[in-house]
Structure formats: structure tokens, C-alpha cells
């Protein structure tokens, strides 16, 4: 090897050691009976082109996170999906900065939702969150996400030339978690999706989603959760298949999920 190159590589390795030593890389994997995003089913299309009406639509999920002690982080999360023709996976990429101030845990960042084979659904958001945790009352989190891409999950049909915009769609979520017994945690959340004016002009309505359930920690990063999740305004999102059966992705479901953190 060229001596100059060897010295350069050695210097780079030494410089990188403090960065690696002060960072943490973790992974996660999950199997769930249904994947809902903001209260809506993410697996709706059957192999025959009709819409699935069954409650159980299993999804495999997983990703990794890189967190530096400075507060900066990067991550990737993926899930099997089936709500757009030509696509079978959702790939999320995100990055941000976490810090503490005034007794609050703050988090600001950006997140992209990518759908290979169906790029019309690609969406990009920026977000900010604040969490207050208290041993007596539990943890409260408020998070707001704001769409900065031209469309919001293809609702406006921007990429197909509709001339409409999904940008400025906003999502506000309030979450709560409280340990109620040894290894058992109560989790609840309510969210509000404020669709852009162009999307509402197409007949879609802004709506409220909700989630309520329990999570049991087996230890070693393994947890099992069971919860009810759904949303209102279901008729505004109802679809009808070629077989005449109708489906609202906002319908409430009881979901079971097994997760493993590495």
C-alpha cells in the first residue's frame, strides 16, 4: 500500500475512534397483525386487485438507529405495505437532534417516507416534539409534523399532474405512557391530521386518530403489545373494490405486535 495512503487511513481511523466510542447503534424488528399509520390501514390491496376487508393483515417491520452523545441521531425504519400498485415496502429515513431544557426532553428533525416502485407516495416532513416524564404521573409527549414535500402520500395526486398540493398538511399527536405494574405499561395516543386545502377539496376530510393498549416487557429487548387503533371520518376514505366490497382504512382494529430491540 502507498505509504501516504496508509498514513492517511491511520490518521482517519484514529480521528474516528472518539466519534465511534461516543455513539450507539441499535436495531429493532417487529411482527404485527396490522400496520396502521395515523389510524389508517397500510395493507389494503389484495393480490386480485380488490380491497382487503379482513382485520388481520400481518406486517414485518424493522430498522436501526445511530445516536451520538451530542444529541444528533440518524435512523432507518421499514415495513411491508400494500396500498399502492407496484409497491410492497415503506422505507423511512430520518435524522434530528435531541436535547434537554427546562425539565423537558426536546426532539427536532426531519423524516422521509419512501415507496420504491410507487414514488407518487413519497412524502417528506419536518417535526418537533417535547416529552415530560414524571415517575408519579408517567410520560407525556406532544409532537407536531409538517409536510414540506409537494404531496402528502399521493392524496393530492401531484405527481400525476393534478396541479394540487399536499404540502402544509400537519399532524399533531399527544401521547401518554405509564407503568401500571411490573413490566406492564399503559400506552395511549390521540392525533389530528389537518389536510391541506387542496386535499380537502378532493373530498378527503381532516380527521382524528387514536390508540389505546398495553405493552409487556419480557426483558432482553423483547416486548408484546396489544392495542386498539383507528380513526374517525371513515366514510371520507372509504373505497370499493371490483367485487363490490367496501373498506375504510380508518376502521378500528385490535392489533397485536411482537417487537425485539437489539
Amino acid at each position: 500500500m502507498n505509504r501516504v495512503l496508509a498514513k492517511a487511513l491511520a490518521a482517519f481511523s484514529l480521528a474516528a475512534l472518539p466519534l465511534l466510542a461516543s455513539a450507539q447503534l441499535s436495531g429493532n424488528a417487529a411482527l404485527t397483525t396490522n400496520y396502521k399509520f395515523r389510524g389508517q390501514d397500510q395493507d389494503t390491496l389484495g393480490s386480485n386487485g380488490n380491497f382487503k376487508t379482513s382485520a388481520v393483515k400481518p406486517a414485518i417491520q424493522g430498522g436501526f438507529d445511530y445516536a451520538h452523545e451530542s444529541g444528533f441521531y440518524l435512523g432507518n425504519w421499514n415495513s411491508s405495505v400494500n396500498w399502492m400498485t407496484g409497491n410492497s415496502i415503506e422505507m423511512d429515513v430520518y435524522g434530528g437532534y435531541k436535547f434537554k431544557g427546562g425539565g423537558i426532553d426536546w426532539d427536532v428533525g426531519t423524516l422521509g417516507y419512501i415507496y420504491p416502485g410507487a414514488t407518487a407516495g413519497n412524502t417528506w416532513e419536518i417535526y418537533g416534539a417535547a416529552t415530560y416524564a414524571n415517575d408519579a404521573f408517567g410520560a407525556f409527549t406532544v409532537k407536531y409534523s409538517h409536510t414540506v414535500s409537494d404531496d402528502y402520500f399521493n392524496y393530492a395526486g401531484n405527481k400525476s399532474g393534478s396541479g394540487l398540493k399536499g404540502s402544509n398538511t400537519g399532524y399533531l399527536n399527544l401521547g401518554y405512557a405509564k407503568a401500571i405494574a411490573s413490566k406492564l405499561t399503559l400506552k395511549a395516543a390521540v392525533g389530528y391530521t389537518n389536510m391541506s386545502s387542496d386535499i380537502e377539496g378532493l373530498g378527503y376530510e381532516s380527521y382524528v386518530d387514536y390508540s389505546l393498549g398495553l405493552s409487556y416487557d419480557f426483558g432482553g429487548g423483547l416486548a408484546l403489545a396489544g392495542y386498539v387503533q383507528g380513526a374517525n371520518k371513515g366514510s371520507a376514505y372509504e373505497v370499493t373494490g371490483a367485487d363490490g366490497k367496501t373498506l375504510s382504512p380508518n376502521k378500528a382494529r385490535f392489533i397485536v405486535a411482537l417487537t425485539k430491540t437489539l
Side-chain angles (χ1 to χ4, degrees):
M1 179 183 292
N2 182 281
R3 289 185 179 180
V4 176
L5 178 59
K7 290 181 179 180
L9 289 174
F12 176 80
S13 298
L14 290 174
L17 284 176
L19 179 64
L20 293 174
S22 58
Q24 180 179 0
L25 183 65
S26 61
N28 60 85
L31 177 63
T32 178
T33 58
N34 195 321
Y35 170 32
K36 275 185 174 289
F37 176 73
R38 296 176 181 170
Q40 298 185 320
D41 292 348
Q42 299 298 291
D43 186 0
T44 58
L45 289 176
S47 58
N48 57 2
N50 291 321
F51 295 101
K52 296 180 180 179
T53 57
S54 61
V56 178
K57 307 169 187 178
I60 300 174
Q61 304 171 335
F64 67 90
D65 293 281
Y66 171 88
H68 190 263
E69 66 175 9
S70 64
F72 288 100
Y73 63 89
L74 295 170
N76 162 255
W77 184 84
N78 313 275
S79 178
S80 56
V81 295
N82 194 11
W83 60 273
M84 290 188 298
T85 302
N87 167 256
S88 60
I89 185 172
E90 172 188 329
M91 301 175 63
D92 298 350
V93 292
Y94 50 88
Y97 178 65
K98 294 181 178 181
F99 59 99
K100 294 180 179 291
I104 304 292
D105 292 321
W106 302 92
D107 181 8
V108 292
T110 183
L111 190 156
Y113 307 85
I114 302 170
Y115 299 90
T119 58
N122 291 356
T123 301
W124 202 272
E125 296 178 334
I126 56 175
Y127 59 82
T131 299
Y132 175 76
N134 181 289
D135 290 339
F137 299 104
F140 299 85
T141 299
V142 56
K143 181 177 181 180
Y144 177 73
S145 302
H146 191 82
T147 303
V148 294
S149 53
D150 288 337
D151 207 341
Y152 177 78
F153 301 104
N154 198 35
Y155 275 114
N158 181 271
K159 198 163 186 177
S160 63
S162 68
L164 304 177
K165 295 280 190 177
S167 54
N168 294 323
T169 293
Y171 179 68
L172 179 65
N173 182 267
L174 304 175
Y176 174 73
K178 176 72 169 65
I180 57 175
S182 176
K183 300 184 178 182
L184 190 64
T185 301
L186 170 68
K187 295 183 178 182
V190 60
Y192 177 68
T193 299
N194 183 33
M195 291 294 192
S196 72
S197 57
D198 282 356
I199 292 177
E200 289 190 330
L202 294 172
Y204 297 108
E205 297 183 40
S206 299
Y207 67 93
V208 174
D209 69 272
Y210 52 86
S211 177
L212 177 63
L214 297 170
S215 177
Y216 184 82
D217 184 3
F218 291 99
L222 185 65
L224 181 66
Y227 52 96
V228 174
Q229 189 174 9
N232 69 346
K233 305 292 185 179
S235 59
Y237 296 88
E238 194 171 76
V239 290
T240 303
D243 55 5
K245 294 182 179 179
T246 59
L247 164 76
S248 174
N250 294 24
K251 183 177 181 178
R253 308 283 192 189
F254 177 70
I255 299 173
V256 177
L258 181 67
T259 62
K260 173 67 175 179
T261 302
L262 306 174

